[in-house]
Amino acid sequence: MYKADYWVLIGLLAVFLFIGTTPALANGEQVIPHLTDGAGVIRTKIDLSNLSSATMITRMNIYFFLASGDPWVVATNLGTASEFLLDLGKSQSVRIQTSGLSPGVMSGYAIIRSFEWNPTASTDWRVGVSVFYEILSGTDLDKRQRRYVDSMRT
């Protein structure tokens, strides 16, 4: 075998290794790494936006999981479930808000999966994600917040 043949084999091997190491969440999936809800103390608000002005997204799911990896049945403004099917029109946004009423404070994560991801026109299938945490009034939460704000002023 010639020296040039070795370089071709090494190049092909590198390409195959790169293809084999693409991320597990490559096909239109996004992860929200931290969600929290419960005890009337905290809730999470998730805004999902279709960033395309040309294409609707009609097959997108959001899946909620507890930190343990088990499905999380959570009460939201869309109902109570561990997954929701969403349709987003052109340039449309939707807000998913947990109720804040889970027993105790619970945390987990979410996976957003679009089944319409198209590699030839991937810019038409982009979903923007914003996450907000709302702290609701709790037993001595207001006092702790005031102390924190006061400490920041000094």
Side-chain angles (χ1 to χ4, degrees), residues 38-49:
V41 175
I42 193 165
R43 67 177 161 204
T44 302
K45 298 177 182 182
I46 305 165
D47 289 344
L48 302 172
S49 300

Side-chain angles (χ1 to χ4, degrees), residues 38-109:
V41 175
I42 193 165
R43 67 177 161 204
T44 302
K45 298 177 182 182
I46 305 165
D47 289 344
L48 302 172
S49 300
N50 180 355
L51 300 179
S52 172
S53 60
T55 308
M56 293 177 58
I57 298 175
T58 56
R59 293 185 55 215
M60 182 174 67
N61 281 23
I62 183 166
Y63 302 91
F64 292 93
F65 296 94
L66 292 168
S68 65
D70 295 326
W72 181 8
V73 178
V74 63
T76 71
N77 58 321
L78 301 179
T80 302
S82 63
E83 66 180 79
F84 297 94
L85 177 64
L86 303 170
D87 295 331
L88 292 176
K90 301 171 187 175
S91 301
Q92 181 186 5
S93 295
V94 65
R95 174 169 281 179
I96 302 169
Q97 176 176 303
T98 64
S99 67
L101 300 177
S102 294
V105 176
M106 302 178 77
S107 66
Y109 61 97

Side-chain angles (χ1 to χ4, degrees), residues 114-135:
S114 175
F115 292 100
E116 292 184 341
W117 185 76
N118 181 350
T120 60
S122 60
T123 56
D124 289 339
W125 307 102
R126 301 236 187 250
V127 175
V129 180
S130 299
V131 181
F132 308 92
Y133 304 97
E134 182 178 5
I135 299 174

